[in-house]
Amino acid sequence: MNKVVANADEAIKDIESGATLMLGGFGLCGIPENCIAALVRKGVNNLTCISNNAGVDDFGIGLMLQQKQVKKMISSYVGENAEFERQLLSGELEVELIPQGTLATRCMATGYGMPAVYLLAGVGTEVAEGKEVRTFKGKEYLLEEAFDSDFAIVKAWKGDTMGNLVFKDTARNFNPMMAMAGKITIAEVEELVEPGALDPNFVHTPGIYVHRIFQGANYEKRIEQRTVRKKQ
Amino acid sequence: MALNKEQIAQRIARELQDGFYVNLGIGIPTLVANYIPEGVNVVLQSENGLLGMGPFPYEGEEDADMINAGKQTITKLPGSAIFDSAMSFGMIRAGKVHLTVLGAMEVADNGDIANWKIPGKMVKGMGGAMDLVAAAENIIVAMQHTNPKGESKLLPRCTLPLTGVRCVKKIVTDLGVFDVTPDGFRCLEYAPGVTIEEIKQKTAGRLSIAEDAREMAF
């Protein structure tokens, strides 16, 4: 049960143009930097990307947008990216905006084997257009379908060769649900360890959901909004 | 004198109750954390997956893996908990978060809120706002009473695409504190030196003035 691949290029080698990808991360926190760089190198295009955000101009998914590799973004928040805005306004890029909790839960539903869930967010707004509305205990809900994706690409702190993953701090965010939701799930980790090195009680994503794993290199971990206070 | 942003945050902080789990949105709502009354213990939730959000880190101690929903570097506290985005919105949806404070572009006198999109201009997305307003029992909006053109943001009906329907319970603006009631906005307090006349003039939606309406004190 060894799922280790050599590097990011190896991990993504069968991702073809036109694929639907899930990419973990919140802003630039917990994004699969190595795989994004490999996708840029490979030059695949026409991609549909499901990711909470679209990176910034020169980092994260922004790097793929620069190379015009993305056909459609499915996200909850896409501010802070001028190239994204330009492509959207010029009609080069499609975007589907989804409430953040709905996005997370539609990924979760996939990983739990549920075809759809009823959710509150967006009732009475344009998000509800075309969706089945059902009332439970006097409250209206929207039927939201689980996401299909060809590949889920996530970033974890530690992982073992069997694909068990542990995330660190708020770099966890969308990574665990997306890891559960890929037809093929690729995990890049800061530290790859042998089975037994992770305490099974503290595994966040069981290896059954992960198909390929590798130790990433040269993590930049860029900070989007550096906010600090002075020592007294 | 109309309230400044810090005073709006300070006034909202008085609504916090001991034991509350609270989600603070970006902008003025974030400032509320600076005015939590003494003796009131609240736990701040950040929807990217943190309960027990601490202050900004000291210079040099910032960590790219530790951010809030505004993507600012922050810290954990003793007793903090980390979780994924699905669980984060699970606890919001399940009503575990007692209070949500967020900004708005428009609020209608029936409690509708619009704060995510201006058609024809750049659309940044709703982020977690639609989930939060749909689920929270207790939503306070922090905003300016009028837009930069001087037009009322307290309207009979929202003109912008909605974020949520009939969900706002209370609004704190630079001019006063307002409940959203079946009869529209109800002014409970007014900013020091601001007249009821000015509030009436700058409120486009239905407005009533509470009998015991009083001037805010700081």
Side-chain angles (χ1 to χ4, degrees):
Chain A
M1 204 58 85
N2 188 330
K3 299 177 177 179
V4 178
V5 293
N7 52 42
D9 296 295
E10 183 73 17
I12 62 126
K13 69 175 183 204
D14 55 349
I15 296 183
E16 303 291 348
S17 292
T20 297
L21 311 180
M22 286 180 176
L23 293 132
F26 185 99
L28 301 178
C29 179
I31 58 172
E33 294 182 20
N34 282 235
C35 284
I36 290 170
L39 286 164
V40 171
R41 278 195 294 275
K42 188 162 193 257
V44 286
N45 53 37
N46 236 3
L47 300 170
T48 296
C49 294
I50 303 170
S51 176
N52 188 55
N53 311 91
V56 295
D57 278 319
D58 60 347
F59 203 56
I61 294 174
L63 296 171
M64 291 160 69
L65 290 165
Q66 270 184 13
Q67 302 301 317
K68 303 197 169 54
Q69 294 177 275
V70 183
K71 177 185 70 174
K72 182 176 183 182
M73 279 301 312
I74 300 175
S75 303
S76 86
Y77 187 82
V78 292
E80 279 81 66
N81 191 324
E83 176 61 14
F84 182 97
E85 183 171 352
R86 192 197 64 72
Q87 290 186 22
L88 182 62
L89 295 173
S90 71
E92 292 166 67
L93 180 69
E94 282 175 67
V95 64
E96 184 181 344
L97 292 166
I98 293 179
Q100 196 173 120
T102 298
L103 183 67
T105 308
R106 288 176 66 183
C107 294
M108 189 201 80
T110 310
Y112 277 80
M114 303 186 294
V117 285
Y118 284 103
L119 299 177
L120 264 175
V123 170
T125 75
E126 64 181 55
V127 164
E129 284 167 20
K131 289 179 182 156
E132 180 191 320
V133 179
R134 191 159 158 188
T135 303
F136 297 94
K137 295 180 182 169
K139 231 173 178 175
E140 290 186 339
Y141 295 80
L142 305 179
L143 185 67
E144 299 278 5
E145 290 187 22
F147 276 121
D148 285 325
S149 72
D150 301 311
F151 294 87
I153 305 174
V154 304
K155 150 85 191 342
W157 177 37
K158 292 180 182 181
D160 67 22
T161 58
M162 295 178 74
N164 294 302
L165 303 179
V166 175
F167 303 91
K168 182 168 163 282
D169 291 336
T170 57
R172 190 181 317 186
N173 56 60
F174 280 81
N175 283 299
M177 291 91 62
M178 289 188 170
M180 294 165 68
K183 274 195 201 82
I184 302 281
T185 290
I186 299 165
E188 56 174 85
V189 299
E190 287 179 51
E191 193 182 342
L192 184 63
V193 298
E194 290 301 318
L198 300 178
D199 182 341
N201 290 295
F202 294 95
V203 165
H204 296 133
T205 297
I208 193 169
Y209 286 111
V210 177
H211 302 86
R212 299 171 194 167
I213 189 167
F214 68 94
Q215 180 162 317
N218 304 318
Y219 280 104
E220 185 178 337
K221 290 200 181 184
R222 200 183 288 188
I223 291 173
E224 219 165 319
Q225 304 279 342
R226 187 179 302 273
T227 46
V228 295
R229 64 192 154 130
K230 293 235 185 272
K231 273 195 173 141
Q232 298 298 318
Chain B
M1 271 283 282
L3 304 185
N4 61 32
K5 288 176 182 182
E6 296 287 340
Q7 289 171 312
I8 294 174
Q10 204 176 341
R11 175 59 191 82
I12 290 172
R14 294 180 195 160
E15 303 292 321
L16 301 175
Q17 292 176 28
D18 197 38
F20 264 17
Y21 289 94
V22 180
N23 183 291
L24 300 176
I26 295 164
I28 298 174
T30 304
L31 301 173
V32 173
N34 300 333
Y35 298 101
I36 298 168
E38 203 145 320
V40 173
N41 282 302
V42 301
V43 175
L44 301 180
Q45 199 251 17
S46 190
E47 66 266 26
N48 56 321
L50 171 66
L51 273 169
M53 179 166 59
F56 294 149
Y58 288 119
E59 255 177 329
E61 292 177 8
E62 59 272 27
D63 177 353
D65 289 336
M66 204 59 228
I67 62 167
N68 64 16
K71 289 136 190 162
Q72 298 171 311
T73 46
I74 41 119
T75 54
K76 290 170 282 192
L77 296 169
S80 287
I82 301 276
F83 35 86
D84 63 48
S85 300
M87 183 178 280
S88 183
F89 284 96
M91 65 184 67
I92 288 165
R93 228 179 262 132
K96 306 296 181 187
V97 174
H98 300 101
L99 174 65
T100 291
V101 183
L102 78 175
M105 297 172 186
E106 296 177 345
V107 178
D109 64 21
N110 66 349
D112 288 357
I113 175 172
N115 73 350
W116 73 282
K117 183 177 184 180
I118 304 175
K121 294 193 182 174
M122 179 56 193
V123 176
K124 290 182 187 292
M126 66 289 279
M130 280 196 183
D131 309 270
L132 281 157
V133 301
E137 286 299 310
N138 197 358
I139 298 171
I140 300 179
V141 165
M143 67 176 190
Q144 303 299 321
H145 206 95
T146 56
N147 66 22
K149 289 186 211 156
E151 299 159 344
S152 181
K153 294 169 72 173
L154 284 71
L155 303 172
R157 282 189 72 159
C158 291
T159 64
L160 295 169
L162 295 180
T163 308
V165 294
R166 293 179 292 280
C167 53
V168 175
K169 302 290 190 296
K170 193 180 278 287
I171 307 160
V172 179
T173 75
D174 51 332
L175 301 187
V177 179
F178 304 85
D179 270 350
V180 177
T181 73
D183 302 318
F185 303 116
R186 187 165 182 75
C187 177
L188 306 176
E189 296 175 32
Y190 44 93
V194 167
T195 63
I196 296 291
E197 231 12 78
E198 181 180 356
I199 288 173
K200 282 182 176 168
Q201 188 202 329
K202 291 182 174 172
T203 305
R206 290 173 298 156
L207 173 72
S208 61
I209 311 295
E211 275 174 26
D212 57 350
R214 61 184 189 280
E215 186 174 289
M216 265 180 247
F218 286 95

Short mmCIF file of all heavy atoms in Angstrom, two decimals, chain A residues 166-201:
data_model
loop_
_atom_site.label_atom_id
_atom_site.label_comp_id
_atom_site.label_asym_id
_atom_site.label_seq_id
_atom_site.Cartn_x
_atom_site.Cartn_y
_atom_site.Cartn_z
N VAL A 166 -2.13 14.67 8.01
CA VAL A 166 -2.33 15.56 9.15
C VAL A 166 -2.09 16.99 8.66
O VAL A 166 -1.10 17.25 7.97
CB VAL A 166 -1.33 15.24 10.29
CG1 VAL A 166 -1.47 16.27 11.43
CG2 VAL A 166 -1.56 13.84 10.82
N PHE A 167 -3.02 17.87 9.00
CA PHE A 167 -2.91 19.26 8.57
C PHE A 167 -2.48 20.12 9.76
O PHE A 167 -2.64 19.73 10.91
CB PHE A 167 -4.25 19.75 8.02
CG PHE A 167 -4.74 18.90 6.88
CD1 PHE A 167 -5.57 17.80 7.11
CD2 PHE A 167 -4.35 19.16 5.58
CE1 PHE A 167 -6.00 17.00 6.07
CE2 PHE A 167 -4.78 18.36 4.53
CZ PHE A 167 -5.62 17.28 4.77
N LYS A 168 -1.97 21.32 9.44
CA LYS A 168 -1.52 22.21 10.51
C LYS A 168 -2.30 23.51 10.51
O LYS A 168 -2.43 24.17 9.48
CB LYS A 168 -0.04 22.49 10.34
CG LYS A 168 0.57 23.36 11.43
CD LYS A 168 2.08 23.36 11.34
CE LYS A 168 2.68 24.50 12.12
NZ LYS A 168 2.59 25.78 11.40
N ASP A 169 -2.82 23.85 11.69
CA ASP A 169 -3.50 25.13 11.91
C ASP A 169 -4.55 25.41 10.82
O ASP A 169 -5.17 24.49 10.30
CB ASP A 169 -2.46 26.25 12.05
CG ASP A 169 -1.65 26.10 13.35
OD1 ASP A 169 -2.18 25.47 14.29
OD2 ASP A 169 -0.52 26.60 13.43
N THR A 170 -4.70 26.68 10.45
CA THR A 170 -5.78 26.99 9.51
C THR A 170 -5.41 26.65 8.06
O THR A 170 -6.19 26.93 7.15
CB THR A 170 -6.19 28.48 9.60
OG1 THR A 170 -5.04 29.28 9.37
CG2 THR A 170 -6.76 28.80 10.97
N ALA A 171 -4.25 26.01 7.86
CA ALA A 171 -3.95 25.47 6.53
C ALA A 171 -4.78 24.21 6.27
O ALA A 171 -4.71 23.63 5.19
CB ALA A 171 -2.46 25.17 6.41
N ARG A 172 -5.58 23.81 7.27
CA ARG A 172 -6.47 22.64 7.06
C ARG A 172 -7.59 23.02 6.09
O ARG A 172 -7.78 22.39 5.07
CB ARG A 172 -7.05 22.18 8.40
CG ARG A 172 -7.75 20.86 8.23
CD ARG A 172 -8.40 20.28 9.47
NE ARG A 172 -7.66 20.37 10.71
CZ ARG A 172 -8.06 19.80 11.85
NH1 ARG A 172 -9.19 19.11 11.89
NH2 ARG A 172 -7.37 19.92 12.94
N ASN A 173 -8.36 24.02 6.45
CA ASN A 173 -9.47 24.60 5.67
C ASN A 173 -10.19 23.62 4.73
O ASN A 173 -10.87 22.70 5.20
CB ASN A 173 -9.01 25.88 4.95
CG ASN A 173 -7.80 25.73 4.05
OD1 ASN A 173 -7.82 24.97 3.09
ND2 ASN A 173 -6.75 26.47 4.35
N PHE A 174 -10.08 23.78 3.43
CA PHE A 174 -10.82 22.93 2.48
C PHE A 174 -10.11 21.63 2.15
O PHE A 174 -10.66 20.77 1.46
CB PHE A 174 -11.07 23.70 1.17
CG PHE A 174 -12.22 24.67 1.24
CD1 PHE A 174 -12.05 25.92 1.80
CD2 PHE A 174 -13.48 24.33 0.75
CE1 PHE A 174 -13.10 26.81 1.89
CE2 PHE A 174 -14.53 25.21 0.83
CZ PHE A 174 -14.35 26.45 1.40
N ASN A 175 -8.87 21.49 2.61
CA ASN A 175 -8.08 20.33 2.20
C ASN A 175 -8.70 18.97 2.56
O ASN A 175 -8.75 18.09 1.70
CB ASN A 175 -6.65 20.45 2.73
CG ASN A 175 -5.83 21.44 1.92
OD1 ASN A 175 -5.63 21.25 0.72
ND2 ASN A 175 -5.38 22.52 2.55
N PRO A 176 -9.17 18.78 3.81
CA PRO A 176 -9.70 17.44 4.12
C PRO A 176 -10.92 17.05 3.28
O PRO A 176 -11.02 15.90 2.82
CB PRO A 176 -10.08 17.55 5.61
CG PRO A 176 -9.27 18.67 6.13
CD PRO A 176 -9.14 19.64 4.99
N MET A 177 -11.85 17.98 3.06
CA MET A 177 -13.05 17.62 2.28
C MET A 177 -12.70 17.35 0.84
O MET A 177 -13.28 16.48 0.21
CB MET A 177 -14.11 18.71 2.30
CG MET A 177 -14.78 18.92 3.59
SD MET A 177 -13.86 20.15 4.47
CE MET A 177 -14.04 21.51 3.37
N MET A 178 -11.79 18.15 0.30
CA MET A 178 -11.41 17.94 -1.09
C MET A 178 -10.65 16.62 -1.24
O MET A 178 -10.84 15.90 -2.22
CB MET A 178 -10.62 19.13 -1.61
CG MET A 178 -11.52 20.35 -1.77
SD MET A 178 -10.71 21.72 -2.57
CE MET A 178 -12.12 22.81 -2.84
N ALA A 179 -9.81 16.31 -0.24
CA ALA A 179 -9.09 15.03 -0.28
C ALA A 179 -10.08 13.87 -0.37
O ALA A 179 -9.83 12.87 -1.05
CB ALA A 179 -8.22 14.88 0.97
N MET A 180 -11.22 14.02 0.29
CA MET A 180 -12.23 12.95 0.30
C MET A 180 -13.03 12.90 -0.99
O MET A 180 -13.75 11.94 -1.24
CB MET A 180 -13.21 13.17 1.46
CG MET A 180 -12.59 13.03 2.83
SD MET A 180 -13.68 13.71 4.10
CE MET A 180 -15.03 12.52 4.03
N ALA A 181 -12.94 13.95 -1.80
CA ALA A 181 -13.88 14.12 -2.91
C ALA A 181 -13.29 13.83 -4.29
O ALA A 181 -14.03 13.81 -5.27
CB ALA A 181 -14.45 15.53 -2.88
N GLY A 182 -12.00 13.59 -4.39
CA GLY A 182 -11.41 13.38 -5.71
C GLY A 182 -11.61 11.96 -6.20
O GLY A 182 -11.53 11.02 -5.41
N LYS A 183 -11.85 11.81 -7.49
CA LYS A 183 -11.80 10.45 -8.06
C LYS A 183 -10.38 9.94 -7.87
O LYS A 183 -10.15 8.80 -7.51
CB LYS A 183 -12.17 10.47 -9.55
CG LYS A 183 -13.65 10.39 -9.81
CD LYS A 183 -13.92 10.06 -11.28
CE LYS A 183 -15.33 10.47 -11.65
NZ LYS A 183 -15.43 11.92 -11.97
N ILE A 184 -9.41 10.82 -8.16
CA ILE A 184 -8.01 10.60 -7.83
C ILE A 184 -7.60 11.74 -6.91
O ILE A 184 -7.79 12.91 -7.26
CB ILE A 184 -7.11 10.65 -9.09
CG1 ILE A 184 -7.54 9.62 -10.12
CG2 ILE A 184 -5.64 10.51 -8.70
CD1 ILE A 184 -7.09 8.22 -9.87
N THR A 185 -7.07 11.41 -5.75
CA THR A 185 -6.62 12.46 -4.83
C THR A 185 -5.10 12.44 -4.72
O THR A 185 -4.50 11.39 -4.46
CB THR A 185 -7.28 12.30 -3.46
OG1 THR A 185 -8.67 12.62 -3.58
CG2 THR A 185 -6.64 13.24 -2.43
N ILE A 186 -4.53 13.61 -4.94
CA ILE A 186 -3.08 13.81 -4.87
C ILE A 186 -2.78 14.67 -3.65
O ILE A 186 -3.36 15.75 -3.51
CB ILE A 186 -2.57 14.52 -6.14
CG1 ILE A 186 -2.86 13.66 -7.38
CG2 ILE A 186 -1.09 14.86 -6.02
CD1 ILE A 186 -2.74 14.43 -8.69
N ALA A 187 -1.91 14.20 -2.79
CA ALA A 187 -1.55 14.99 -1.60
C ALA A 187 -0.07 15.32 -1.65
O ALA A 187 0.77 14.43 -1.82
CB ALA A 187 -1.87 14.22 -0.33
N GLU A 188 0.23 16.61 -1.51
CA GLU A 188 1.63 17.00 -1.31
C GLU A 188 1.79 17.37 0.15
O GLU A 188 0.91 18.00 0.75
CB GLU A 188 2.05 18.13 -2.25
CG GLU A 188 1.24 19.40 -2.19
CD GLU A 188 1.85 20.51 -3.06
OE1 GLU A 188 1.55 20.53 -4.26
OE2 GLU A 188 2.63 21.34 -2.52
N VAL A 189 2.90 16.95 0.74
CA VAL A 189 3.08 17.16 2.18
C VAL A 189 4.44 17.79 2.45
O VAL A 189 5.38 17.62 1.67
CB VAL A 189 2.95 15.83 2.98
CG1 VAL A 189 1.55 15.25 2.78
CG2 VAL A 189 4.00 14.81 2.57
N GLU A 190 4.50 18.51 3.57
CA GLU A 190 5.79 19.12 3.93
C GLU A 190 6.74 18.06 4.45
O GLU A 190 7.95 18.19 4.33
CB GLU A 190 5.58 20.20 4.98
CG GLU A 190 4.94 21.46 4.43
CD GLU A 190 4.71 22.53 5.49
OE1 GLU A 190 5.66 22.85 6.21
OE2 GLU A 190 3.56 23.01 5.59
N GLU A 191 6.17 17.02 5.07
CA GLU A 191 7.01 15.98 5.65
C GLU A 191 6.37 14.63 5.40
O GLU A 191 5.27 14.36 5.90
CB GLU A 191 7.17 16.26 7.15
CG GLU A 191 8.26 15.44 7.77
CD GLU A 191 8.37 15.68 9.28
OE1 GLU A 191 7.84 16.71 9.78
OE2 GLU A 191 8.94 14.82 9.95
N LEU A 192 7.05 13.80 4.63
CA LEU A 192 6.56 12.45 4.35
C LEU A 192 7.21 11.48 5.34
O LEU A 192 8.43 11.49 5.50
CB LEU A 192 6.92 12.07 2.91
CG LEU A 192 6.40 10.72 2.40
CD1 LEU A 192 4.88 10.70 2.38
CD2 LEU A 192 6.95 10.43 1.01
N VAL A 193 6.39 10.68 6.02
CA VAL A 193 6.92 9.80 7.07
C VAL A 193 6.50 8.35 6.80
O VAL A 193 5.62 8.08 5.96
CB VAL A 193 6.43 10.25 8.47
CG1 VAL A 193 6.94 11.65 8.79
CG2 VAL A 193 4.90 10.19 8.58
N GLU A 194 7.12 7.43 7.52
CA GLU A 194 6.80 6.00 7.38
C GLU A 194 5.54 5.69 8.18
O GLU A 194 5.20 6.38 9.13
CB GLU A 194 7.97 5.16 7.92
CG GLU A 194 9.22 5.22 7.07
CD GLU A 194 8.98 4.75 5.64
OE1 GLU A 194 8.27 3.73 5.44
OE2 GLU A 194 9.48 5.41 4.69
N PRO A 195 4.81 4.62 7.78
CA PRO A 195 3.66 4.18 8.58
C PRO A 195 4.10 3.97 10.03
O PRO A 195 5.19 3.44 10.28
CB PRO A 195 3.25 2.87 7.92
CG PRO A 195 3.74 2.98 6.52
CD PRO A 195 5.02 3.76 6.60
N GLY A 196 3.26 4.40 10.96
CA GLY A 196 3.60 4.27 12.37
C GLY A 196 4.10 5.56 12.97
O GLY A 196 4.04 5.76 14.19
N ALA A 197 4.56 6.45 12.12
CA ALA A 197 5.08 7.72 12.65
C ALA A 197 3.96 8.69 13.02
O ALA A 197 4.15 9.58 13.85
CB ALA A 197 6.02 8.36 11.63
N LEU A 198 2.79 8.52 12.41
CA LEU A 198 1.65 9.38 12.76
C LEU A 198 0.79 8.64 13.78
O LEU A 198 0.50 7.44 13.61
CB LEU A 198 0.80 9.70 11.53
CG LEU A 198 1.46 10.43 10.37
CD1 LEU A 198 0.46 10.60 9.22
CD2 LEU A 198 2.00 11.78 10.82
N ASP A 199 0.36 9.32 14.82
CA ASP A 199 -0.56 8.73 15.79
C ASP A 199 -1.93 8.57 15.12
O ASP A 199 -2.53 9.57 14.71
CB ASP A 199 -0.66 9.66 17.00
CG ASP A 199 -1.57 9.10 18.09
OD1 ASP A 199 -2.39 8.20 17.79
OD2 ASP A 199 -1.46 9.57 19.23
N PRO A 200 -2.41 7.31 14.99
CA PRO A 200 -3.70 7.10 14.31
C PRO A 200 -4.85 7.90 14.92
O PRO A 200 -5.82 8.22 14.23
CB PRO A 200 -3.96 5.60 14.49
CG PRO A 200 -2.61 5.01 14.74
CD PRO A 200 -1.81 6.06 15.46
N ASN A 201 -4.73 8.24 16.21
CA ASN A 201 -5.78 9.04 16.85
C ASN A 201 -5.83 10.47 16.35
O ASN A 201 -6.81 11.16 16.57
CB ASN A 201 -5.56 9.06 18.37
CG ASN A 201 -5.83 7.73 19.00
OD1 ASN A 201 -6.97 7.25 18.99
ND2 ASN A 201 -4.79 7.10 19.53
#
